[in-house]
């Protein structure tokens, strides 16, 4: 490895506060805490596969910031570019989460305005970081949060690109942050800079406003904007407790599509971060194996496993991940237990 | 509103003690507590829809009574007619609950004898209350508990009726409290006073001893006794973890039946109080919308939501309730999450 | 009672998030939640003594707001003037709390900027409320939070005064909100409107900048500004786990001072809200007994009891409060247990 | 050993429900459970010292009964005489407990009326049990509960005495169960049957109505009624969190008094059952060592240890108990830790 | 009953440490504890049906040993042959457990080397025990653990056989302990001593290396080695959360097979110990009813119930077990709840 | 900084399992987990002060190893020299802990035999590490564990010394691991290599067998063996809940002693690791400030703070640590709270 990190990501890390299991936020006297944020989740997942990763963000200089820094480190993500906001009104963004049970849906309430991250400036970020990354990853949420972040995020993408990093980008459309039209324009603006593009099946049609066959749409990102790899996830939500999941990849260099049969009847423990886990599996797979199908398999398995563990960040190890991939692709008898 | 309250209910509030999640009462060193009682559950649910509600009961003058009073208030039910029993042997009725997991069934053990409520006297209840209610609601449990309550409950029904309240009554047959014959006789005795009658499909045949088509049976309560509205719930217990639910209403004035397609595969978190939530949705719907179908839809959604939250009393808000009704009746794509 | 409420208070209610017992916020994956705010705490405590109380505030229209509304009701405080903020960026103020253990101090971090309360406008508050209060209470925090609240709070004080309410005010100086000079000027400006004035021993000297004998200082508020009753608390912090507490009252009409021997070696479970509990005991005592010494005794006992229970709001009942006062003033043998 | 059991005890076992640590019963949504009852606590403690013990009681035939039976067995107490009440209204007595923190006192609320035990009849108890005991122990609570138990308890004392058992009795006066006069008469009636008599210092003066020097009083039980051993406990309650404890024994055969220096500054975790632990230590010590001073030392240490562990029954082992006795009586340096 | 115990079992008891519900061991700061071991689980389950049972093992003389002894007793298993290892390096075997959620599998990690049990010697076991058992039960794990245990276990089987006990043996193949070949040889060696033989469907083909029809294989154990009763379990693992279960019995004396329709869609709370619960139901059934089909029904129901409760040992009572058997075999309407 | 790390430490990291708060291990169904080990604790604490630290150890390749690695990283200690043991019998050492409450002592039970660390070989440790450290720290426990570790530890000390690191050593005598004589010989053997020597007051007299004045003894390590800095801690255990703490330093270069007044009445939440926190404060202080008195002040404050937080490793931040030092040395009024 010539660069210091295989993967550097940029985004907000929030504290997630959720009422335990089936209880209501409105009735519970306890919150479970965890740390999460789309781009951090990606770095954390990729590090499990052996990638060396770092995360750029800004957190407050108080015990909430310390909590989050501990979690970043614990996950094997290097924190040297996690900036500390020492201002008086430094705050950590929060999101509140309540689990679903059919017909009640999972519910998210954001309280991330005026967070330390929302005020980050390009000048805060040390110039040296741009030389450290083989791949730089961010997502649509960072573009959407506010004007400042929109321009900082775009500047970072350009800077990393200039210093030779591959640019990875996940659309991650959030209707509560911006409109379909704003999102489409912003993503379209940066598409020419993107090497690895993550866009869910639904986002292709809805936010990106494409029509026609899925494969044609995926291919168009390469033909129109020069994207090297396009990954499109396919999730079927059978109930808040059961999902199916797979994905399709388009590899422009080979002009080939890759997919595998879906993971069926995934037991949903905590669905949050499953899309990020997918990106982390794909990127980790690419870093370690440089093979699109293998990367997609890591992505699918990571997305499925994430659903079975609590928290925003995937928790697994390479051995488990690979044994799940292996069994998913085997026709033999399944063991009931690892023992 | 001319009366002080839209809805006044009468009944026992108990402390429910349950072993956490899947653990056995016989093995657990912890009880989860909550407060509940059929008629309180109805008042609490109706208040979520904006009805102004009060509850008549008697609780002991100790920390258990204070616990229960706090829960009554928290739910937006006015406690001015919650009497305090200062006698030496004042006690709160208890019921113990253990959750089921197929093939093990949920189990209830009652310990409600000699509770403060069981000794309530008509003289304890201030005369002024009879003028405060647009609707008065109680259920078969209050009739069944003991002789004293049988006569107090019947007296209250008559008093409220005389003061111009509509009378709402839920059969709520409990085989451990009285025989089918006793229950049938008692309910038949008060049927002429009832305006809104709740009777489950099974109770029509079993406890009420009716035969023939369900719609004919429902209609007969109106033709034979003058009931204005008859609501019959239909629950299909697929397993302790999964139910289907819907209901049928008969509106005598319009001589019409109303129903809607069932909620399928409800994820059961805690099934207790689902029937009461149904009544609360119907009554709240009637109070706010005076429309039988709308009331039935509130009732069905409330019954379904109750199953997805812990405790005897429904926890939701008007917005969630209405968005679930809307999605249930829509053919469009379903959102995975409220965000 | 000629007015609808004995006591109406105005202020912010926050969600308090604390790490369990001795754990660090920076290390704990759980937060305990409770609701609290100085003026709410006062209303809640007074209602325990039998006062009819209401609270004016603004909370977001989401599950956090519902949580807080439930707690307000549970405590017997009427919520008809608890406004709901339906704006997109409605938020509940938060404060984070970590307990102390010598030599580590308890730590508070506020995250209350841009809360729904911080944006409350005089126009949001229904004109009818000004006629409902015998006593109106607020404190220095509401004056200090921001310019908007400074003027809203002062306007409310004037309005209630005009409609015949007694004005109760607690200095509650917070050095993180404003300077000693700003606080002194603001309090001095409203002193002519205040009937019942709460000011801790330390605040007399520090924030109010007085010098000389404590009794002379207390008396000066009456002679200089017309305050009827001045209450000064005296807390001795022996360690984060052990405090002593008493107070002194000056009754201008009688031109007399009142005090009692301190509560010694109070076992500190949770010290937050002890000062508010004091105010609540005093106001509840005045409402029910119109006697300054009795009010002071209720205040001292309430402050002491608050320290022994978790949360911002006192939890007790009239019987316990009075038995503690009685035993504190008795020389006989102490029972070990209430049994 | 000629008899099957060294010690057989008779009494009620209750379920104790307490709010966790410092929380209020009136505010907590959780109860901690344990099983306890004075005479069971004595049997359980004695079994730790190696005594073979059995317990006579009656419990309901439901999951609460199963819970309690499991706890009896776990403690090494044989349950062959634990009767099962299969009646419809079988119930387990309950007591609610809230911990204290100065100036708030610990609080107990009983809900034991109409328990399965309260209805036990002499005929339920198999005749064979009377031949199994070297020592039979019961206490004043069993005499006081109701008329039925008063006569059953006295009959059992006589029966066991007739079959050659030594009779051990603990006064355990409870003012909420009977008056001083009733208690004194009842205890006086059975004193001629008692061999080992436990009476606290305060009970000697208050309930037993004695005056004069403590040693003279203790001696009088032997001279007047033929008691062989009298044990009087001396507890100093410094605060709900700190006690001192020791005791005095009078051995009539030797006509000697025994005592030791008090355990000072006992850290109170849970004070309930400390007196029973004392009896258990004394009886276990007598059974294993036949030495009054040794028995008293076991009793004192057991009483002190009980205060440091949660629950009604002492939890320790012989090794810990003896090392605490040894260190208490040593002047050498104390280890900080067992390691 | 001529012998002291209906059933004596021999094996290791371990402490099981599992991360709560869906959390990862690698991320959780808490372990849930329980005690379990195949042969203990069998004794515990049989005692629920009324069998008098004892367990032979060795545990360390520390608080972990005390924990386990308490659990053995609580379950009604007599502990007089539970030996205490007082050596310096005495230790309790541990296994770590993490629950599964599809596609993540449940995971077990053993840490049982050098446990006190692993060093047990035949000389430690008092000769008297061999005369106490009507049935002696052990399993393949005890044979497999190490050389010492292999010979101790075989010696015990022979000793108990010589003293007139029936020998019950469960294959319980564990691939992490020994190879298929080693296991097959060891089991084949003792088959001539076995009266009651438990072997799962899969083990018949895999570990025992049999081919052909299942019934022929089962019959061959009787014809070739003289086994009286052969029980073969049939489990279908639909997901970590849902299993089907039934079994087949071959009764050599009657030369007959017995089975019943499977329990479908068992809600898996904790699958560990389900096979042991099966053996316990069968043995308990045989002891109480001497009827092969009844025994098999107890076994199936016990296996199913075990899956619905946490921990290694089944928790139920005779009434529940029998009502589940009854309902399983009835065509009438099912109650939703025990009430 | 010329070297990669300011501080590299070597030792075992164990999983500590403790029963929650005051509960007994023998009775609790839950363990709280944390990771700890003397030399890890030192590295973790020093990193809080800004030192760059790494830790050398060996952990198993399973979820327990992952747990511990996560904790090492979370604390900011670099894990590149944390080796992974992939052998079949790899295991993490455990120690069990139960808290004390007077007169019951805290109790530790070790289960660390045959851990992955106990088998570490010098060859496992990459040669490159010896060039990375400014200071190398280890302690007497690593010398004492077994013969292998005794020689590995001594070899590491020599290697690091040869590569220019300062050697820091803490006696940390454990009577359960070796005798006073063995320990004294082993420490004496390496004293000539030691630059920074930590030895408690008691260890000077007991394990090191010195007599006479404490200052003379401390000085002798420098004069006899060339130690540069000697730190002696002085702890007064008033009860399991209250300690006093200070220390004395001898600086050979300056030939001067340093001390400060003790921290009095430290509230003990969890005393484990307080001595390690002391070393970490001293080493962190030396690294950042090169001043003996400042280092000692950091050490004392760190030792005191450690007692107030749960777990083996100190949790604090530089700001809190320094504010506690400042207040400890100030005579002005103390704030009650950080706010």
């Amino acid at each position: 490895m010539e660069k210091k990190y295989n993967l550097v990501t940029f985004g907000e890390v929030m504290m997630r506060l959720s009422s335990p299991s089936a209880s209501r936020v409105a009735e519970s006297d306890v919150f479970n805490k965890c740390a999460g944020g789309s781009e951090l989740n990606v770095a954390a997942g990729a590090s499990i596969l052996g990638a060396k990763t770092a995360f750029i963000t800004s957190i407050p200089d108080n015990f909430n910031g310390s909590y989050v820094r501990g979690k970043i480190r614990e996950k094997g993500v290097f924190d040297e570019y996690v900036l500390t906001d020492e201002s008086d009104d430094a705050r950590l963004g929060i999101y509140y989460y309540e689990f679903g049970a059919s017909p009640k849906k999972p519910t998210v309430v954001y309280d991330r305005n005026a967070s330390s991250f929302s005020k980050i400036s390009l000048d805060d970020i040390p110039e040296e970081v741009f030389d450290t990354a083989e791949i730089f990853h961010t997502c649509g949420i960072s573009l959407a949060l506010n004007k400042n972040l929109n321009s900082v995020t775009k500047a970072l993408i350009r800077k990393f690109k200039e210093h030779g990093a591959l640019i990875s980008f996940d659309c991650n459309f959030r209707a509560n942050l911006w409109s379909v039209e704003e999102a489409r324009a912003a993503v379209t603006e940066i598409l020419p800079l993107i090497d690895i593009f993550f866009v869910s099946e639904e986002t292709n049609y809805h936010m990106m406003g494409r029509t026609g066959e899925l494969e044609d749409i995926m291919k168009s990102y390469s033909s129109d904007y020069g994207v090297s790899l396009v990954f499109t996830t396919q999730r079927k939500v059978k109930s808040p407790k059961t999902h199916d999941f797979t994905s399709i990849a388009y590899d422009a260099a080979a002009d080939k599509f890759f997919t595998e049969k879906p993971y069926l009847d995934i037991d949903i423990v905590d669905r949050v971060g499953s899309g990020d886990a997918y990106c982390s599996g794909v990127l980790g797979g690419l870093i370690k194996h440089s093979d699109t199908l293998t990367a997609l398999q890591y992505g699918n398995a990571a997305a499925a496993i994430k659903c079975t563990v609590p928290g925003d960040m995937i928790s697994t190890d390479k051995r488990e991940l690979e044994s799940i991939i292996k069994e998913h692709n085997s026709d033999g008898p399944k063991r009931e237990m690892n023992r």
Side-chain angles (χ1 to χ4, degrees), chain A:
Chain A
M1 178 169 85
E2 302 193 2
K3 301 271 181 97
K4 187 168 182 187
Y5 297 110
N6 299 114
L7 177 65
V8 173
T9 74
F10 168 76
E12 180 161 28
V13 50
M14 291 183 285
M15 181 161 62
R16 172 227 208 156
L17 300 178
S18 52
S19 46
S21 32
S23 67
R24 287 281 193 186
V25 169
E27 295 204 314
S28 173
D29 291 328
V30 169
F31 272 136
N32 288 330
K33 285 162 74 176
C34 65
S38 180
E39 298 94 342
L40 169 60
N41 302 347
V42 173
S47 81
I48 289 167
L49 288 173
K52 202 164 176 194
T53 65
F55 179 51
I56 308 171
T57 197
S58 177
I59 57 174
D61 182 28
N62 60 28
F63 44 35
N64 288 326
S66 298
Y67 174 78
V68 159
R69 187 180 291 277
K71 294 296 178 189
I72 294 168
R73 290 169 170 173
E74 182 190 327
K75 289 295 185 177
V77 177
F78 285 84
D79 68 325
E80 60 179 318
Y81 302 115
V82 173
L83 311 173
T84 304
D85 176 5
E86 298 182 0
S87 68
D88 271 1
D89 57 356
R91 74 179 294 259
L92 191 66
I94 299 170
Y95 82 94
Y96 298 94
Y97 187 71
E98 192 177 280
F99 291 89
S102 182
K104 175 178 66 109
K105 295 193 187 304
T107 300
V108 174
V109 168
Y110 291 100
D111 179 11
R112 68 201 298 183
N113 284 348
S115 71
S116 294
F117 177 73
S118 76
K119 301 173 185 166
I120 201 170
S121 136
L122 197 57
D123 297 341
D124 298 335
I125 300 168
E127 193 69 20
E128 72 189 59
V129 72
F130 301 113
D131 269 329
T132 63
E134 293 180 351
I135 302 178
F136 172 72
H137 174 87
T138 189
C139 85
I141 294 171
S142 293
L143 282 179
L145 281 173
N146 61 30
K147 281 199 181 172
N148 171 51
L149 274 165
N150 187 279
S151 74
V152 170
T153 305
K154 287 193 291 196
L156 289 178
I157 290 173
R158 285 198 195 90
K159 287 264 199 181
F160 274 101
K161 187 84 179 182
E162 287 163 19
H163 287 72
L166 293 175
I167 303 301
S168 166
F169 184 83
D170 180 8
C171 286
N172 239 348
F173 176 65
R174 291 287 184 275
N176 61 322
L177 290 178
W178 54 0
S179 70
V180 158
E181 293 69 27
E182 290 169 307
R184 190 185 307 151
V187 172
T188 304
E189 179 187 343
I190 60 165
L191 259 172
L193 300 166
I194 296 174
D195 299 287
I196 305 167
F197 187 51
F198 294 93
V199 51
S200 74
E201 183 167 23
E202 185 200 4
T203 300
N204 276 304
Y205 294 104
H206 180 58
M207 186 272 267
M208 292 303 289
R210 299 306 199 257
T211 54
E213 291 298 307
L214 183 58
E215 298 205 343
D216 294 340
I217 297 170
M218 291 175 68
K219 210 164 170 170
S220 74
Y221 300 121
S222 298
S223 53
D224 296 356
Y225 303 100
V227 173
S228 302
L229 293 167
V230 181
F231 292 89
T232 286
T233 54
Q234 299 178 300
R235 179 184 305 275
K236 188 167 157 202
V237 178
K238 295 171 166 179
S239 89
K241 301 278 172 66
T242 316
H243 292 187
D244 295 344
F245 188 91
T246 189
S247 60
I248 308 178
Y250 175 68
D251 181 332
D255 189 18
K256 267 197 172 165
F257 287 91
F258 300 91
T259 189
E260 66 172 346
K261 66 176 174 181
Y263 285 85
L264 298 178
D265 293 327
I266 299 167
D267 284 329
I268 303 296
V269 166
D270 185 341
R271 178 256 185 277
V272 179
S274 173
D276 304 325
Y278 178 76
C279 297
S280 81
V282 167
L283 294 177
L286 290 173
I287 287 162
K288 290 291 157 187
H289 299 279
S290 310
D291 176 79
T292 306
L293 178 57
T294 304
L296 174 144
Q297 287 174 328
Y298 278 117
N300 288 347
I305 292 170
K306 172 61 226 30
C307 292
T308 69
V309 295
D312 287 37
M313 292 187 257
I314 186 173
S315 171
T316 185
D317 55 40
K318 208 160 162 286
R319 187 172 14 171
E320 184 183 65
L321 195 60
E322 293 179 349
S323 82
I324 283 173
I325 293 170
K326 194 173 164 193
E327 184 164 310
H328 184 61
N329 288 287
S330 134
D331 294 327
K334 318 291 191 198
R335 286 162 310 134
E336 181 194 347
M337 223 181 257
N338 297 320
R339 157 137 79 177

